[in-house]
Amino acid sequence: MAKPICELNWEAYQTLSFQEKMVYLMQSGGTPYHTLFAQQFNRDLLGQLATLANEIRFIAKSRKGTEFLKTVVSHKRAMLYFSQPSSRTFLSFLSACQILGLQTGEVRDTATSSEFKGESREDAVRTFSSYFDLIIMRTPEKGLAERMAWLLSNSERPIPIINAGSGQDQHPTQALLDIYTLLRSFEKTGGLQEKTVLFCGDLLRGRTVRSLSQLLVNYPKIRQVFVAPPQLQVGEDVQNFLTDRQANFELTDDFQSAIPEADAVYMTRIQDEWDQSKGESAKIDTSRFRFGKTELDLLKSTAIVMHPLPRREEISTEVDGDPRAMYWRQMRNGMWIRAALIAMTFGCEQTIHAYFKASGTEIV
Ligand code: NCD
């Protein structure tokens, strides 16, 4: 694994453009070292990851294959540092590590680490880097994963950081699993191109929407429709990004009219944990932004319903049994794509490709 070293101080690093930062985030072969932002992944890289995830998924079907996978990264250890609540992201990363044979350690509550004694985040992360070979981190702080990646790239023991959700800002691995789900779902309907993806809910504060929206611009003729109450409509940063990339997008608050045109409906919950003064979100009428039986009847037969989960009342449980409800499979896809990302981070793609090829079976 080629480690990008960054000798710039933090102030100088922050002035770099995204393209200039890429030198410090990617390995020389074009695969990720640190995974911090969705924009690090282009269509080619997303395709490579999806292929690798498919192979891992296939190999894991047999006991022999599972045993092989457990040897792929068994020489490495990963630290799961989750200082913000998480079920799926935590468990799917943990499972991904287990699939590949990585040993893991975890801190899920900073009250149980020396941060409670006043240790800085920087010192905590440097401590983890002394014992582990990868840090997977989720924090409520915007930009913290990037700062920690810079810190480690400057240290005598640089190790990769994977951002498992940073504040309201980015959730790159959720976007990877969302893309993988879209690629799999559209395999028989022309692939991920010329499709309409409809986002609905709290688009202002949801980090998954920002990351996925940025990745969708890699695919041809994708139309993105953002459906939300005006107070929760997608932020200007996302709109500016899409405008710069000449993406086809529109904003509306008319959910029912938008549904029949959608190939994927991506529902999100109200993110009221970010309320400045508690209860602000509760005053917003979100009743028109829910997906139930009526909305299902408006949806194309080939379309899918997605959700990063957890859900509240924005998708009714009546929808769960419909073949177009993709959120459970989407969740499991997270485990495969995260395993693929970890294998790629450690440069183990070829080992997996070779085993898959030798097994000589088609992916089903
Ligand atoms: C999302 C998150 O944490 O941003 N959940 C997840 O990782 N699957 C979405 C959410 O919490 O609403």
Side-chain angles (χ1 to χ4, degrees):
M1 173 168 51
K3 300 176 179 189
I5 305 297
C6 176
E7 281 165 350
L8 298 174
N9 66 32
W10 177 237
E11 283 67 36
Y13 172 84
Q14 280 176 296
T15 64
L16 300 181
S17 68
F18 180 73
Q19 279 314 318
E20 289 166 333
K21 285 180 181 175
M22 283 287 272
V23 178
Y24 303 113
L25 304 181
M26 307 301 276
Q27 304 185 46
S28 46
T31 54
Y33 181 76
H34 299 298
T35 295
L36 305 179
F37 313 106
Q39 307 97 290
Q40 283 174 249
F41 296 83
N42 59 26
R43 191 177 177 189
D44 180 44
L45 192 50
L46 291 166
Q48 289 177 41
L49 263 179
T51 303
L52 196 57
N54 279 339
E55 291 178 0
I56 294 172
R57 185 164 57 84
F58 170 77
I59 295 169
K61 286 186 197 292
S62 73
R63 184 184 181 124
K64 203 164 145 257
T66 304
E67 280 162 6
F68 155 75
L69 286 170
K70 277 200 201 125
T71 66
V72 173
V73 203
S74 54
H75 56 306
K76 300 288 182 188
R77 287 184 300 277
M79 174 71 193
L80 295 145
Y81 177 43
F82 277 57
S83 62
Q84 199 188 19
S86 175
S87 303
R88 276 149 288 268
T89 308
F90 180 82
L91 290 174
S92 64
F93 264 119
L94 182 67
S95 305
C97 289
Q98 288 168 346
I99 289 170
L100 298 172
L102 272 100
Q103 310 269 355
T104 56
E106 63 184 68
V107 166
R108 297 203 66 180
D109 179 357
T110 50
T112 65
S113 84
S114 282
E115 283 179 66
F116 190 68
K117 301 184 205 162
E119 184 171 55
S120 68
R121 286 269 150 80
E122 281 82 352
D123 285 4
V125 167
R126 269 190 107 128
T127 304
F128 303 149
S129 78
S130 308
Y131 306 125
F132 294 93
D133 305 291
L134 165 70
I135 297 175
I136 301 165
M137 66 185 285
R138 164 171 288 202
T139 79
E141 263 170 76
K142 180 179 174 181
L144 188 71
E146 182 178 19
R147 188 171 154 79
M148 295 304 140
W150 164 82
L151 178 84
L152 293 183
S153 290
N154 251 314
S155 75
E156 71 288 350
R157 201 178 134 69
I159 63 166
I161 293 222
I162 296 181
N163 178 1
S166 52
Q168 284 169 262
D169 164 36
Q170 277 269 352
H171 197 345
T173 63
Q174 176 72 41
L176 296 178
L177 77 90
D178 293 339
I179 289 287
Y180 183 47
T181 301
L182 290 164
L183 289 170
R184 289 189 67 190
S185 303
F186 296 149
E187 249 162 33
K188 295 195 178 82
T189 53
L192 184 46
Q193 53 190 340
E194 296 180 40
K195 297 283 192 291
T196 296
V197 178
L198 184 163
F199 293 95
C200 178
D202 188 343
L203 309 184
L204 182 66
R205 301 175 294 187
R207 54 194 172 191
T208 66
V209 172
R210 173 178 296 100
S211 293
L212 177 56
S213 171
Q214 289 171 341
L215 278 192
L216 283 171
V217 301
N218 289 301
Y219 295 88
K221 298 193 180 159
I222 299 291
R223 180 168 156 247
Q224 301 190 38
V225 182
F226 297 95
V227 185
Q231 307 92 312
L232 299 176
Q233 191 47 276
V234 73
E236 277 184 16
D237 62 324
V238 178
Q239 294 182 44
N240 292 340
F241 174 87
L242 294 174
T243 306
D244 285 350
R245 301 294 292 261
Q246 298 180 329
N248 178 358
F249 74 99
E250 62 205 70
L251 316 184
T252 174
D253 64 356
D254 186 352
F255 191 25
Q256 301 256 333
S257 308
I259 292 172
E261 293 179 1
D263 296 293
V265 174
Y266 192 99
M267 298 298 296
T268 64
R269 73 178 168 89
I270 302 302
Q271 308 264 324
D272 48 15
E273 69 267 40
W274 303 109
D275 267 3
Q276 300 294 337
S277 69
K278 279 280 164 226
E280 246 173 64
S281 299
K283 295 185 203 129
I284 303 171
D285 178 12
T286 54
S287 55
R288 286 187 297 118
F289 305 91
R290 293 187 188 151
F291 198 98
K293 189 78 189 64
T294 318
E295 289 69 27
L296 202 51
D297 290 342
L298 296 171
L299 192 69
K300 281 184 201 171
S301 62
T302 52
I304 58 168
V305 183
M306 298 171 71
H307 195 308
L309 302 176
R311 76 169 150 190
R312 291 180 181 169
E313 62 285 326
E314 62 279 356
I315 300 185
S316 128
T317 49
E318 299 173 317
V319 179
D320 291 4
D322 193 277
R324 292 166 290 179
M326 203 49 68
Y327 28 97
W328 307 116
R329 204 174 303 168
Q330 179 186 355
M331 185 164 86
R332 195 165 158 81
N333 282 338
M335 179 176 77
W336 303 123
I337 206 79
R338 286 174 171 132
L341 177 67
I342 294 168
M344 201 180 246
T345 302
F346 288 114
C348 300
E349 310 89 299
Q350 294 313 329
T351 317
I352 295 169
H353 291 326
Y355 184 95
F356 177 75
K357 213 167 157 206
S359 67
T361 319
E362 293 291 305
I363 292 170
V364 279

